[in-house]
Amino acid sequence: MADPKYAALFLAESREHLRSCNALLLEWEQTPGASEPVNGLFRAIHNIKGMAATLGYAAVADLAHRAENVLDAVRSKRAAGTPELIQLLFRSVDALEKAVEGAQSGKGEPSATLLAALDKAAGPAGERLEKPAASNPPTGAQPGAAGAPGGAAPRLPARGPAGHLVGVTIRSGTPMRGARALLALRRVEALGKITALRPTAVAIEREDFDGRFSFHLRTGAEPAVIEAALRSAGDVERVAFDADVSVEAEGPVVAARQIRIDLHRLDTMMKLVGELVVARNRMLELMRGGDSELVELGGGISRLVSDLQSQVVAARMTPVSEVFDRFPRLVRDLGRDLGKQIRFEMEGGSIELDRSILDELGDPLLHLIRNAADHGLESAADREAAGKPPEGRILLSAVRERRTVAIRVSDDGRGIDRAAVLAKAKRDGLADPAAEMLTDDLLLRVLARPGFSTARQVSGISGRGVGVEVAFARARALGGSLEVQTETGRGTTFTLRVPLTLAIVRALLAQAGDERYAVPLAYVAETVEFDPQAVTTLRAREAVVVRDRVIPTVHLRDLVAAKADSLPPRRPTIILEVGERRTALVVDGLLGQQDIVIEPFDAPRGLPPYLGGATILADGAPALILDAAALV
Amino acid sequence: MSNTVLVCDDAIFMRTMIGDILTQAGFEIVGEAESGLQAVQKYRDLKPDLVTMDIVMPDMGGIEAVREICKQDPDAKILMCSAMGQQALVVEAIQAGAKDFVVKPFQPSRVLEAVQRVLG
């Protein structure tokens, strides 16, 4: 039972269920009469209970069981879905989360008050679902159960006369497993009423499943009788009851075609593919001008490597909803704590990002959303006084923009007080004392300064710094950027922009002096010829006019202090674009595009901020990678 | 007394094959039908213990025949004989009242297993 593989699966599955619990509770709260959220919650919690009982996690199973009782009471109309009851279930889900996380160490036991509240809400004991076998004192007084020698799992008993949860596996290789499953179902139909069939009957009939299905049978029949009935349909390999029913069989139909992969394994694959790409590039370089058959073979291998690369990248792509989905609950709680009415909306949840990038976004988004709720939105009274609807709005959205994803946190609150920030910036010597206006850029730089958050005297924006600092640093670390737009009285939008994937990116190679530099294509808008005639100035900086747009210039030579050879007669210019901002990077020459593997610097101390890492080029020579976000 | 069987299939080859498998296993073939219509009539006349039913037949298909037979005798024990790729039709037949199915090409052992289950 202590098999770490099962413990890990339990954790992963339970977390998924708990996440859907939060979503379902929110849905229920919006539509108190609906029955689907209640059924969904019941299923999710029932699943957790089943797994926990199997692994001997008594505290989790006990808590889940009590929560299940409450849900059952609602389902059978013995209790109503009042706001208090929903709040109680929110608390239970939180407690369940703690219990699940602490299950292995025997920690995270729920409080007796919560358990008592659940029992009270579930109504008279006689009408509840049968208690867990152990029927221990409330707090599941066997913390050591999981690790107890020979730890017999306290199986939750079958749900008495109410029936059984039944899981069936049709032998693999059986022709027409769907029809076979249907036969099995018809055999047990004679014994009772089938509900909660997973996958759906339609999916089973179409054989859109992997041979496993589960259902609840409301019956007085013994498991042995049910099993015999199922087996009489033929080709039934396995029948499981209640806690033994594998949760996979309950999952969505598509889950049957998916497997879980340890992220480390994907990371390793990605790294290997990265090295393969570099080797491929080097190989193509060496093959140039060689035997024609060899060149053809090289081309074939090259295409295969590219396909492999895109497959591995695709395998790592995860919808942003994985991270987004935790926020509705957070905002709901924030709204309650702050006494604000907040409407939280999400868009673009299906946009995909590299898993390793996505994992880094939870924190910064949390801070930005918290700031929006806490500081961005006004109280209902203030909003009404300003002629706004009392309910504040926070929008979390993801948009794919070229090879980056822009994630925005927008509020329709008061906006950031530029004057106050400017005054503060002047005091700190960050802004020109004569400055009259604070640009969005400078605003962001001020907000993102580590010390800024402690500046409590700046009313209305205190505390903003912490979150912005985190988001700013994280965005930069990922090769992305953070932008802010704010309008007094109308609201604030933070845009966190990150590349689609790390590790392998397509880059433009540029030359300055003797050195070569890689510029990730994600931020390259276009390349143009540098035209000295078009040079002008913009706020005391050199700029160039490209298609009627004045763009500040940066000369790569100056930036990297390249040896002052004579300037080449023609100088290409790379127009970098990060969000709305552009910079014209003037270089000595362009050397084409290449897939590069980014090797981040280990300890980037004392390195200029415009360097984002290093890479090995196709010819085996190293090159530095320019960080576009730092240049614009 | 051995169990009696009505074999319904429009192909002589299939009727012969099923007949052989079942005869060797000790069943008595009491009749054959080449169409759904014949199957319904012969079921009424012969009252067999078991019917093997092809799905695709002229003059009323197998599924329609299952429906008609089960209307007369809800306990009729009908085994569907299906070709691969006809799962949707098999599902329909089961919903119409067929008790089990075998998939062509037939393996004698699987046919007999299915027959045992149906008669079981």
Side-chain angles (χ1 to χ4, degrees):
Chain A
M1 281 302 167
D3 190 329
K5 189 178 90 193
Y6 290 117
L9 273 177
F10 164 76
L11 259 185
E13 304 263 19
S14 297
R15 283 176 187 152
E16 256 169 52
H17 285 308
L18 287 168
R19 219 173 29 223
S20 74
C21 279
N22 272 318
L24 288 164
L25 279 170
L26 288 169
E27 191 187 327
W28 190 11
E29 196 170 52
Q30 299 299 315
T31 46
S35 59
E36 298 88 59
V38 183
N39 290 333
L41 280 164
F42 191 91
R43 266 202 308 279
I45 290 179
H46 184 78
N47 273 328
I48 294 174
K49 179 174 91 169
M51 289 187 285
T54 312
L55 288 171
Y57 297 153
V60 178
D62 180 63
L63 174 58
H65 183 75
R66 287 164 202 256
E68 213 184 85
N69 280 337
V70 175
L71 290 163
D72 192 60
V74 175
R75 282 210 301 201
S76 47
K77 313 264 183 255
R78 281 180 281 112
T82 59
E84 292 74 31
L85 186 123
I86 294 176
Q87 179 60 20
L88 173 67
L89 287 168
F90 266 120
R91 276 172 50 213
S92 307
V93 168
D94 288 345
L96 209 45
E97 209 171 322
K98 274 208 194 86
V100 162
E101 299 295 331
Q104 251 188 315
S105 51
K107 287 188 195 124
E109 291 206 2
S111 73
T113 3
L114 177 65
L115 295 179
L118 281 172
D119 286 353
K120 189 162 164 248
E127 291 175 4
R128 285 182 217 154
L129 301 172
E130 206 168 308
K131 278 204 142 207
S135 69
N136 292 314
T139 36
Q142 34 166 226
R155 281 283 147 74
L156 298 182
R159 298 248 248 56
H164 295 280
L165 181 64
V166 188
V168 182
T169 309
I170 301 288
R171 193 167 289 125
S172 73
T174 301
M176 296 189 186
R177 286 191 299 188
R180 190 59 62 188
L182 179 66
L183 265 186
L185 284 168
R186 288 185 75 95
R187 297 284 154 100
V188 286
E189 243 168 15
L191 300 172
K193 190 172 156 39
I194 293 173
T195 54
L197 179 62
R198 293 280 175 291
T200 62
V202 176
I204 290 176
E205 284 164 18
R206 272 200 251 113
E207 199 159 334
D208 213 352
F209 77 132
D210 63 353
R212 292 177 301 174
F213 60 97
S214 69
F215 56 90
H216 188 265
L217 185 68
R218 190 169 284 277
T219 180
E222 292 294 317
V225 176
I226 300 172
E227 179 162 352
L230 285 163
R231 289 194 182 274
S232 76
D235 291 318
V236 168
E237 183 174 30
R238 184 170 171 269
V239 179
F241 289 93
D242 301 299
D244 288 339
V245 175
S246 103
V247 289
E248 290 95 324
E250 288 232 318
V253 183
V254 285
R257 304 248 158 86
Q258 295 182 341
I259 53 163
R260 285 169 191 282
I261 298 185
D262 188 343
L263 197 55
H264 292 303
R265 210 165 269 194
L266 274 182
D267 285 344
T268 310
M269 272 168 72
M270 192 67 179
K271 224 178 140 94
L272 290 173
V273 167
E275 282 169 25
L276 194 57
V277 166
V278 171
R280 186 262 322 255
N281 292 349
R282 178 110 184 85
M283 178 185 79
L284 290 179
E285 192 88 2
L286 290 174
M287 280 178 171
R288 199 172 285 171
D291 185 275
S292 72
E293 263 184 72
L294 205 56
V295 168
E296 200 176 309
L297 177 67
I301 292 177
S302 175
R303 275 191 300 280
L304 288 175
V305 170
S306 298
D307 289 352
L308 181 63
Q309 180 192 335
S310 57
Q311 288 301 317
V312 173
V313 169
R316 301 169 56 90
M317 295 307 252
T318 314
V320 294
S321 57
E322 287 255 321
V323 165
F324 279 20
D325 285 352
R326 71 175 83 149
F327 293 123
R329 170 73 203 275
L330 173 97
V331 175
R332 171 194 175 272
D333 291 354
L334 273 175
R336 286 173 78 97
D337 292 351
L338 297 166
K340 290 179 183 173
Q341 300 171 33
I342 306 175
R343 185 154 53 98
F344 183 64
E345 288 168 12
M346 298 191 292
E347 285 172 9
S350 61
I351 303 268
E352 294 186 326
L353 267 177
D354 189 308
R355 178 83 223 200
S356 54
I357 294 179
L358 196 59
D359 285 346
E360 297 292 314
L361 294 182
D363 244 18
L365 288 176
L366 173 79
H367 284 292
L368 292 176
I369 290 171
R370 206 180 263 162
N371 280 342
D374 191 3
H375 309 292
L377 295 180
E378 317 88 327
S379 66
D382 285 356
R383 289 181 67 91
E384 280 186 314
K388 291 181 175 180
E391 190 182 51
R393 177 170 180 261
I394 296 177
L395 172 68
L396 174 63
S397 68
V399 185
R400 173 92 181 253
E401 289 178 2
R402 225 175 315 147
R403 290 181 65 84
T404 68
V405 171
I407 300 180
R408 296 194 169 83
V409 178
S410 310
D411 65 63
D412 67 346
R414 57 170 72 93
I416 299 172
D417 185 347
R418 281 172 194 271
V421 176
L422 181 61
K424 167 77 180 153
K426 284 180 183 171
R427 272 202 302 283
D428 292 356
L430 285 168
D432 182 345
E436 285 172 17
M437 211 192 74
L438 189 69
T439 62
D440 284 344
D441 269 2
L442 184 58
L443 172 65
L444 185 70
R445 248 175 290 153
V446 176
L447 291 179
R449 268 173 62 85
F452 193 75
S453 58
T454 55
R456 297 270 167 213
Q457 65 270 34
V458 183
S459 63
I461 49 170
S462 63
R464 261 191 191 278
V466 188
V468 178
E469 181 199 341
V470 169
F472 189 76
R474 195 64 59 87
R476 290 295 308 280
L478 293 170
S481 64
L482 182 72
E483 295 145 43
V484 62
Q485 282 112 34
T486 184
E487 205 177 326
T488 312
R490 301 286 294 272
T492 304
T493 297
F494 280 95
T495 304
L496 190 61
R497 193 183 303 276
V498 290
L500 276 180
T501 180
L502 287 177
I504 302 180
V505 299
R506 190 123 187 106
L508 190 60
L509 298 185
Q511 188 153 21
D514 298 335
E515 296 291 333
R516 286 175 298 175
Y517 296 86
V519 185
L521 268 190
Y523 299 103
V524 175
E526 60 179 325
T527 57
V528 296
E529 192 82 13
F530 182 67
D531 178 5
Q533 308 284 313
V535 170
T536 173
T537 52
L538 177 69
R539 287 190 213 114
R541 271 185 69 188
E542 186 191 279
V544 65
V545 181
V546 178
R547 278 194 267 289
D548 296 335
R549 206 170 149 174
V550 183
I551 303 173
T553 55
V554 171
H555 290 264
L556 187 54
R557 268 172 174 260
D558 302 343
L559 193 67
V560 300
K563 276 188 238 107
D565 291 341
S566 62
L567 276 176
R570 297 157 64 88
R571 280 178 295 164
T573 302
I574 304 169
I575 308 297
L576 298 173
E577 186 181 58
V578 177
E580 291 293 295
R581 291 173 299 151
R582 290 179 165 221
T583 289
L585 181 69
V586 185
V587 300
D588 289 0
L590 290 178
L591 305 164
Q593 298 181 9
Q594 212 174 83
D595 287 330
I596 59 164
V597 180
I598 299 178
E599 301 286 349
F601 296 123
D602 279 343
R605 268 175 231 289
L607 276 172
Y610 55 81
L611 292 181
T615 189
I616 306 291
L617 296 179
D619 59 8
L624 292 167
I625 300 166
L626 295 177
D627 180 358
L631 289 171
V632 302
Chain B
M1 211 182 92
S2 57
N3 283 305
T4 54
V5 185
L6 170 65
V7 179
C8 311
D9 201 308
D10 58 335
I12 302 173
F13 174 84
M14 294 311 299
R15 288 204 302 271
T16 312
M17 189 178 164
I18 295 170
D20 286 348
I21 292 173
L22 294 178
T23 311
Q24 275 171 29
F27 292 89
E28 187 192 348
I29 310 299
V30 291
E32 293 185 359
E34 306 175 20
S35 72
L37 213 56
Q38 271 188 20
V40 177
Q41 284 162 0
K42 292 204 174 181
Y43 185 84
R44 198 163 34 209
D45 300 342
L46 301 169
K47 293 268 176 287
D49 298 322
L50 174 79
V51 182
T52 71
M53 183 79 74
D54 186 23
I55 288 186
V56 184
M57 287 188 294
D59 292 339
M60 184 190 293
I63 295 172
E64 195 52 34
V66 170
R67 222 169 262 134
E68 284 299 315
I69 291 173
C70 289
K71 222 185 271 172
Q72 297 170 24
D73 177 7
D75 288 331
K77 295 185 165 58
I78 307 174
L79 174 67
M80 300 308 290
C81 299
S82 145
M84 270 191 293
Q86 293 183 331
Q87 177 148 249
L89 296 173
V90 171
V91 165
E92 206 184 326
I94 292 169
Q95 280 157 351
K99 295 287 186 289
D100 210 317
F101 63 93
V102 286
V103 181
K104 298 171 195 173
F106 296 134
Q107 288 170 327
S109 61
R110 283 198 73 91
V111 174
L112 292 174
E113 271 169 35
V115 167
Q116 295 301 347
R117 284 198 298 264
V118 172
L119 293 174

